[in-house]
Amino acid sequence: MSIFTPTNQIRLTNVAVVRMKRAGKRFEIACYKNKVVGWRSGVEKDLDEVLQTHSVFVNVSKGQVAKKEDLISAFGTDDQTEICKQILTKGEVQVSDKERHTQLEQMFRDIATIVADKCVNPETKRPYTVILIERAMKDIHYSVKPNKSTKQQALEVIKQLKETIKIERAHMRLRFILPVNEGKKLKEKLKPLMKVVESEDYSQQLEIVCLIDPGCFREIDELIKKETKGKGSLEVLSLKDVEEGDEKFE
């Protein structure tokens, strides 16, 4: 026995729906779960990996496809792929309360993991465990922002946690090798960007080993390239200056 399916209906499963209201009408697109965030953050660039179909719907769950005249009225075009991109970028992702809760919990954990990986107690140089960072985030009542990347939020969390616990980003250890003539002048410009100078050696060249805040790395790299016209070199000796063992709260 054959089942009659109207031609303007498409049935889809395992769908994340993104919705947008335009010109008084509702438009929806069907995406693969967990792919929308990747597209918005720039991690996923292949539209076919995000969209289940390049069709625009008025109701994904019922499989009702939008009419051509409604698309032209709302978007000024009937190019479904272009409209899908607009909805994907600016629309509202429809998720159940349970899915939203799970998603926020995962993001909370991911943020804590990034913070734990990047930071230490500045007095002991020891890293904090993810569990301790999660507890500290709960203590400051940190609220996850679903539309912001976990990396951006981790940097926000570090700033906020500084008010309640001893925490800072682990320093990077660098070695500069600079021509002597430019080196002395350049050292004065680099001084404010260096946290600790561990050694200096003047021979044919100026060699400095120092610790810096990772946020200053790009500025230092560009400064050395510019001031030495490419004659100076910069080497990363370690990404994180940390002591062995995890930090514990008293």
Side-chain angles (χ1 to χ4, degrees), residues 237-249:
L237 299 179
S238 65
L239 287 170
K240 290 191 294 186
D241 177 43
V242 296
E243 297 291 335
E244 289 298 314
D246 293 326
E247 187 57 33
K248 296 175 177 63
F249 285 150

Side-chain angles (χ1 to χ4, degrees), residues 175-188:
R175 179 193 284 129
F176 314 138
I177 297 175
L178 311 169
V180 171
N181 292 343
E182 294 96 335
K184 288 177 182 174
K185 188 172 74 174
L186 183 51
K187 185 191 158 192
E188 292 307 308

Side-chain angles (χ1 to χ4, degrees), residues 150-167:
T150 49
K151 193 173 179 184
Q152 278 179 310
Q153 292 187 74
L155 296 173
E156 280 176 23
V157 167
I158 293 166
K159 281 182 196 165
Q160 291 182 30
L161 287 181
K162 282 182 178 178
E163 295 173 19
T164 57
I165 63 172
K166 291 167 183 164
I167 190 169

